[in-house]
Amino acid sequence: MTDQQQPTQFERGTDGPKVIVVGVDGSSSSYRAAAYAGGLARRQKALLAVVYVQPVMAAGASLGIPVAGTTAEIAEELAEEIRVAIERVKDVWDLRWEFHTFHGDPYSGLVTAADELTADAVVVGASESAGHRFVGSVAVRLVKAGRWPVTVVP
């Protein structure tokens, strides 16, 4: 090592990501993000952690709407869709994956998921909501957090 070279401060000891978190919510852009993240995880031999954040809707619950049951059903449907898609390609691609659900708003849920799962990268779909131009999308907030590499898939 020459005098100009400095040892790195921190390194996990691997090349490339070992855990890739992808957020899915049933939207077209989230499915594109899952497909992209799946290809990345396969090539990197990383674990694909597919995350659905069950929204907490206090207003709906206070009106007697069975929110928890509805969001749990959505989570089960998403997990089944992903299982079916991966089953179709299991003889072609070897992919390690897990499905997780977290509760909260999408941003906080993905942050919690990435922290708890020790994510090396986060992949999300681009927002399909026009209102996010004013409030800020989940993707933009994740990028601004600066805690992981974030890929936003259109």
Side-chain angles (χ1 to χ4, degrees):
M1 183 185 311
T2 67
D3 290 335
Q4 277 83 18
Q5 292 177 329
Q6 298 292 325
T8 58
Q9 295 287 329
F10 174 78
E11 186 174 325
R12 288 193 180 168
T14 62
D15 290 330
K18 291 298 174 195
V19 177
I20 299 170
V21 166
V22 61
V24 295
D25 62 5
S27 67
S28 296
S29 66
S30 76
Y31 285 134
R32 288 190 297 273
Y36 178 89
L40 182 61
R42 179 185 54 80
R43 289 186 298 278
Q44 295 289 330
K45 297 182 178 18
L47 172 67
L48 178 64
V50 181
V51 173
Y52 169 64
V53 180
Q54 293 185 13
V56 176
M57 295 180 259
S62 67
L63 295 173
I65 300 169
V67 174
T70 301
T71 59
E73 287 174 20
I74 292 169
E76 289 174 24
E77 289 172 12
L78 288 171
E80 184 57 27
E81 286 179 29
I82 293 162
R83 278 188 203 95
V84 168
I86 290 179
E87 185 68 24
R88 284 190 303 236
V89 297
K90 75 174 186 171
D91 294 330
V92 179
W93 294 319
D94 184 28
L95 177 65
R96 293 182 308 122
W97 70 284
E98 300 173 347
F99 184 82
H100 299 271
T101 59
F102 288 83
H103 297 274
D105 68 276
Y107 170 76
S108 298
L110 286 171
V111 167
T112 300
D115 285 344
E116 288 184 13
L117 299 170
T118 318
D120 296 301
V122 177
V123 179
V124 292
S127 174
E128 296 179 350
S129 172
H132 287 155
R133 281 181 251 160
F134 304 106
V135 183
S137 70
V138 172
V140 168
R141 292 173 66 194
L142 288 168
V143 169
K144 285 182 177 181
R147 294 168 58 184
W148 323 266
V150 177
T151 302
V152 183
V153 177

